[in-house]
Amino acid sequence: MAVSTPGRPVKPSPVYRYLFAIGLLAVAIGVTLLVMSMKERVWLPAGAAALLLGVVLVGSYLTDRLQAEAFVDPLAFEPPWSKLARGAGPPRLPAPGKLAVAPGTAFSIDKLIDFPATTAASRPARPARSVPPPPPVAPPSWTPALFDQVSAQQFDAVCEALFAQGGFETRSQSHGAAGGVTIWLYSRHAQQGKDSPAAVAWCKQWSGQPVGVRELHPLLDLMRSRELKRGTCATSSICSENARKFAKDNGINLLDRTGLLALIAGRTPAQQQALLALALGKR
């Protein structure tokens, strides 16, 4: 076995070098005999024995080499990080039976590692990040885009309230799932009887398409059936030129989104807010 002295590396014994050479020779002989045993089985036991002997001898040498690289005192060679952490040399284990530090001694990590000194003055002060205030939310108002946000039922309610604000007594008749409403307008100044309407209004959203002559025929039929000379068609869309000419020739007042906005603008601020509450679904 290799012999060592304190603080010095263990040197391998010269005997193991000869054993290593003999082991290599035994491995070579064993491999040769095993190859020969493929033709003559009589060489198989001798080849296996020689190969096993060679492996044992080579392994003994390699084990001795590994032990030769060990050190009796693992702290005899100072690691590189200890030079940065300590200025007085490498740390060593205390003697058997003795404590590394006296009892009650406070332990601090900065005694082992020299951290760079930092002060508050050495760090540049970061400017306070100013968060811009959120933009003010404009209150809802009557715009052409508002008609695209209201439902068919809300549009019908706005039209009926708009005519009621004009001094008419209104009686509405819904068109069902197709949307739209027929509003009969009664006025105390009309020449007809008390139960006879003065005019009729045909209100429908018709979003995304202009109102043509075909859409005005139901209103004209209602006017003729009740012998009314006045009728109004209110829509959130626009009207074609042919529809305008047809309405003018038959006593129909067309109120597209521009006409409705102009009519709403003529109401008082309180009435405009009441109409806006209906359009936004507020009660």
Side-chain angles (χ1 to χ4, degrees), residues 5 28 77 93 237:
T5 57
F77 293 90
L93 298 176
S237 183

Side-chain angles (χ1 to χ4, degrees), residues 99 101-107:
L99 298 176
V101 294
T105 303
F107 177 78

Side-chain angles (χ1 to χ4, degrees), residues 94-187:
K98 293 185 179 181
L99 298 176
V101 294
T105 303
F107 177 78
S108 180
I109 190 63
D110 57 359
K111 300 298 183 181
L112 298 178
I113 303 176
D114 294 331
F115 293 101
T118 58
T119 59
S122 62
R123 297 180 180 178
R126 294 183 178 180
R129 180 179 299 179
S130 60
V131 179
V137 180
S141 59
W142 279 106
T143 59
L146 183 63
F147 287 108
D148 298 329
Q149 302 175 10
V150 300
S151 64
Q153 292 75 15
Q154 290 170 337
F155 178 76
D156 298 341
V158 169
C159 291
E160 185 173 0
L162 186 60
F163 289 117
Q165 290 176 357
F168 291 98
E169 180 185 349
T170 61
R171 298 178 187 176
S172 61
Q173 184 179 3
S174 176
H175 296 173
V181 64
T182 299
I183 304 175
W184 301 100
L185 306 177
Y186 297 84
S187 175

Side-chain angles (χ1 to χ4, degrees), residues 17 20 38 46 56 73 75 80 105 128 131 137 153 156 174 176-177 182 187 190 216 237 247 261-262 267 273:
R17 297 179 181 177
F20 177 68
M38 297 176 65
V56 171
D73 186 2
L75 300 177
T105 303
V131 179
V137 180
Q153 292 75 15
D156 298 341
S174 176
T182 299
S187 175
L216 298 180
S237 183
L261 288 175
R267 298 290 189 257
Q273 290 300 318

Side-chain angles (χ1 to χ4, degrees), residues 20-32 47 49-55 57:
F20 177 68
I22 296 174
L24 290 179
L25 181 60
V27 169
I29 295 174
V31 171
T32 302
L51 182 61
L52 179 61
L53 177 63
V55 170
L57 295 178

